[in-house]
Amino acid sequence: MKMNNCSRLMTLWFVISVALCFNTRNSVSASKQCNFPAIFNFGDSNSDTGGLSAAFGQPGPPQGMSYFHHPAGRYCDGRLIVDFIAKKLGLPYLNAFLDSVGSNYSHGANFATAGSTIRPQNTTLHQSGGFSPFSLDVQFNQFSDFQRRTQFFRNKGGVYKTLLPKPEYFSQALYTFDIGQNDLASGYFHNMSTDQVRAYVPDVLDQFKNVIKYVYNHGGRSFWIHNTGPVGCLPYIMDLHPVKRSLVDKAGCATPYNEVAKFFNRELKKVVVQLRKELPLAAITYVDVYAVKYSLISHPKKHGEPFVSGFEEPLRACCGHGGKYNYNLHMGCGGKIKHGGKEILVAKPCKDPSVWVNWDGVHYTQAANKRVLEQIVDGAFSDPPIPLNMACHRNL
């Protein structure tokens, strides 16, 4: 009996110790949460919440069908990764800086526009094959102007105080970046080889590095940087720039284009390491979204909603018309033809976008975006391995 009582006491002590340790760890984790009051986002269509549409016109239905139930400035059936980031941090969805109607910037602003590149393209939107004139340097200039004018107008009081961020938010905010994919794609659209595209990557990343420094000099301290995704798995790349069968991997993706994307990401990671040395007060998190997106495509049954069935048709567009990948450059998602005096929808969406990875041949579905966020939010794909809500810390 004495031994039994002793064993019980030891067991009870162990349980209490574990509980105390767990609670202490939770309280420490809670104390380290950053409580970001705002997000300032820079990027391309992967995170554009209405910038390009404000400048050049709203993309029509069926964009936004799965969540907003109407076009909402996003090239997606619903929400983007940046939307889920905002939701996870308890912040409202970001309004585009260029969208002057009904916008509220009290918790940040989005400078991303679809088709944007890091390096300026020096052509018009139509001449460059759909690449935006709002390159990353332009987005920074917009941010700089926004920051300066925000402080000026908030001093006037009234409605400005409710629609614009507090001055201290600029140093307390999370700065998110998701850009670079179009820098690679633009080379292919100009008939460059993968070697030629690879050759200009260092110059692209030098310009990216400069912009991070500019933001830092304007008070930015917490940076959440996505690498670029598997370009060689996108229907529009595989349709417009086919490769030999021997250069297609087991997932069905074009290996040469993915190799360039991986090279870009390795070099981007080196730039992040350099920036950490040069910007001593910055917390810079590098996020490997390439790995997550490639997993959605190469192992679709392990992901998706519901998780039991997983994703379907990972290499075909949900919304499009014709061809192996359901993609047609001349008949994009929502495309119509005139017949007998009537407009007929030809490029229709699939019945259930929630089980598809790709939305329109270029962009991911809301379901895929949500799954990406779920995978990266806890820091499992980050360097350093820091969760999203603790990204104001250099280390934990």
Side-chain angles (χ1 to χ4, degrees), residues 250-271:
K250 292 181 180 179
C253 302
T255 300
Y257 304 125
N258 278 349
E259 287 301 318
V260 175
K262 288 192 280 189
F263 171 73
F264 177 96
N265 291 339
R266 288 194 298 272
E267 296 303 302
L268 173 62
K269 195 169 186 179
K270 291 177 184 177
V271 166

Side-chain angles (χ1 to χ4, degrees), residues 95-108:
N95 288 124
F97 168 76
L98 294 174
D99 192 356
S100 60
V101 180
S103 291
N104 185 321
Y105 302 111
S106 58
H107 293 282

